[in-house]
Amino acid sequence: SAPLLEVTGLAKHYPVRKGLILAKQVGTVRAVDGVSFALARGETLALVGESGCGKSTTARLVLRLIEPSAGTIRFDGQDVTGLSGAAMRAMRRRMQIVFQDPYASLNPRLNVAETIAEPMLVHGIGDAASRRRRVEELLSLVGLRAFHAERFPHEFSGGQRQRIGIARALAVEPDLVVCDEPVSALDVSIQAQVVNLLKDLQRRLGLAYLFIAHDLAVVKHVADRIAVMYLGQIVETASKRDLFAAPRHPYTRALLAAIPHPDPQRRGRVKPLGGDVPSPMNPPPGCRFHTRCPFAQERCRQEAPELRTLADGHQAACHFAETLPPAGLDFSGGLS
Ligand code: SF4
Ligand code: MG
C-alpha cells in the first residue's frame, strides 16, 4: 500500500543578505538540499545527524510549519505541498509534534487539562464535557493521574512534562507524530521510560513516528529504519539492523563509533567524531563529507556521490561504499 508519508526532493534554501538597505544576496544556506524518504503507517523512521544537518528543518517542512523551496510532500496519497486553508487544517490534525524541550513547549499559564485540550479546541472537536473525558483518557494513556489535570507545568518533573506534551500531541488522534529529539533534554534515567511509552503508544494506536535524534544510541531502541543526514542531505538509509550491522557510509560509521561502549572498561578506545561540521552556506564541493572523511580521494573533492541502492532497502551516498574496509575501524586518526 502507499506510504503514509512520502517526501521527494525536499529542499529549504535561505538567501543570506548583507547590508541593511538594498541588501545584496551574498550566499545561500542550503539547510535541506534534496531529501527523499517514505514512511509507512505504524513505522518509525529515525532522522539522525549532528546539530545543523537539517533534520529539524526537514521535520518542520513535513509539518508545513515552513514552506519548502523545492520538492513535494505526499501524506496518505495526497500532495499536501500546495494545500492551504481548511484542507491544510484537516491535514494538520493528522500530523502532530512532540518537542525537544518540555519546559519551553508548554504554556506555563495553562493547567494540564487546558494544555491537553487546546488542540481539540483549535480543531473544533467535541464539547467541554467530551473534551474533559478525553483529557482523562489521555492522562491515563501516558501514565499520569486524573488529579494531575488541575496542576500546572512547573509542578512536574521533566519526564512528566514530556508525558503531558505527548498527551497533547495525541489529543486529536494523529496518524503521524514527529518526535523532535523528545528525550535529549531529559536525564538518562528518564529517557528509557519516555522511549518505552512512545513504543507502547505506537503499538496501541498504530502511530507512525518521524523520530529526530542527534546520535544513534537513542534510536537503537525506537527506530525501524534510520536515515542519516549530513549537511542537508541523506547520506545513508537502511533498516536499523542493517545500519548497525553493516554501515556503509564513513559518516555513519563515525556516528556508530561515537556511541559509548556499555562496558566502561572498554570506553575511550574509539574517539568520538572530531572536526567541525562545515557551514551549510557554502557546503564543500564534491562529497560534502570529504573535509572530515578518512577515506577521501581526489574524486570525492570533485564529484558529489548520488544516494545509491546497495542492497534491498539499503542506500548510501559514497563513491566507495562497496570497497571501503570493513566497519569497526578506529576513527581516532582521521576525523579531527
Ligand atoms: Fe568519504 Fe569519498 Fe565516500 Fe565522501 S565519497 S564519504 S569523501 S570516501
Ligand atoms: Mg534541532
Side-chain angles (χ1 to χ4, degrees), residues 55-56 100 180-181:
K55 55 196 194 298
S56 293
Q100 172 172 6
D180 189 3
E181 304 219 31

Side-chain angles (χ1 to χ4, degrees), residues 35-308:
V35 161
S36 303
F37 61 84
L39 175 61
R41 282 171 198 286
E43 187 189 33
T44 300
L45 173 67
L47 276 185
V48 179
E50 289 162 286
S51 143
C53 72
K55 55 196 194 298
S56 293
T57 305
T58 302
R60 277 159 182 73
L61 288 165
V62 164
L63 292 163
R64 292 282 320 275
L65 299 174
I66 52 177
E67 291 300 312
S69 312
T72 53
I73 301 157
R74 293 182 78 80
F75 187 81
D76 202 10
Q78 190 182 355
D79 186 347
V80 299
T81 326
L83 284 188
S84 59
M88 190 60 231
R89 273 196 301 282
M91 199 56 73
R92 194 158 269 152
R93 175 179 166 184
R94 302 178 59 190
M95 319 175 184
Q96 295 292 312
I97 183 165
V98 173
F99 292 99
Q100 172 172 6
D101 186 352
Y103 299 84
S105 64
L106 301 177
N107 182 338
R109 293 164 209 256
L110 298 185
N111 71 24
V112 168
E114 291 162 336
T115 299
I116 296 174
E118 194 185 35
M120 292 186 264
L121 264 172
V122 167
H123 289 281
I125 297 167
D127 56 19
S130 68
R131 284 196 292 270
R132 182 65 205 203
R133 282 194 300 276
R134 179 81 180 128
V135 165
E136 277 170 26
E137 265 171 44
L138 287 159
L139 284 173
S140 131
L141 199 60
V142 299
L144 293 172
R145 308 275 298 277
F147 69 84
H148 287 136
E150 312 311 326
R151 306 252 169 116
F152 287 83
H154 73 266
E155 298 175 74
F156 293 89
S157 67
Q160 286 175 315
R161 284 187 228 204
Q162 200 52 297
R163 288 173 193 268
I164 298 166
I166 292 166
R168 177 183 157 86
L170 297 181
V172 293
E173 301 185 76
D175 301 304
L176 169 67
V177 179
V178 173
C179 303
D180 189 3
E181 304 219 31
V183 300
S184 311
L186 303 177
D187 288 348
V188 173
S189 59
I190 306 298
Q191 289 185 358
Q193 292 175 19
V194 173
V195 164
N196 288 336
L197 172 65
L198 287 167
K199 285 170 67 175
D200 179 48
L201 292 168
Q202 180 171 50
R203 271 194 301 272
R204 291 165 72 170
L205 305 173
L207 300 166
Y209 291 142
L210 183 61
F211 195 101
I212 313 289
H214 63 261
D215 68 51
L216 284 165
V218 166
V219 305
K220 189 166 190 178
H221 304 289
V222 68
D224 298 309
R225 283 188 306 123
I226 298 174
V228 176
M229 286 188 74
Y230 189 75
L231 278 179
Q233 300 179 328
I234 292 177
V235 296
E236 182 160 12
T237 179
S239 68
K240 174 177 70 184
R241 179 199 293 246
D242 287 352
L243 194 104
F244 276 85
R248 291 303 198 76
H249 196 283
Y251 180 59
T252 308
R253 294 185 184 193
L255 288 181
L256 283 169
I259 298 178
H261 196 280
D263 175 359
Q265 296 283 301
R266 295 186 57 194
R267 273 182 209 165
R269 271 195 199 171
V270 200
K271 291 220 183 82
L273 181 64
D276 290 332
V277 184
S279 161
M281 176 156 141
N282 293 306
C287 176
R288 291 182 182 188
F289 190 55
H290 85 249
T291 57
R292 300 167 86 191
C293 182
F295 308 108
Q297 319 269 320
E298 192 47 37
R299 183 182 174 193
C300 307
R301 296 179 186 92
Q302 314 277 344
E303 193 188 326
E306 298 277 317
L307 189 63
R308 293 182 292 124

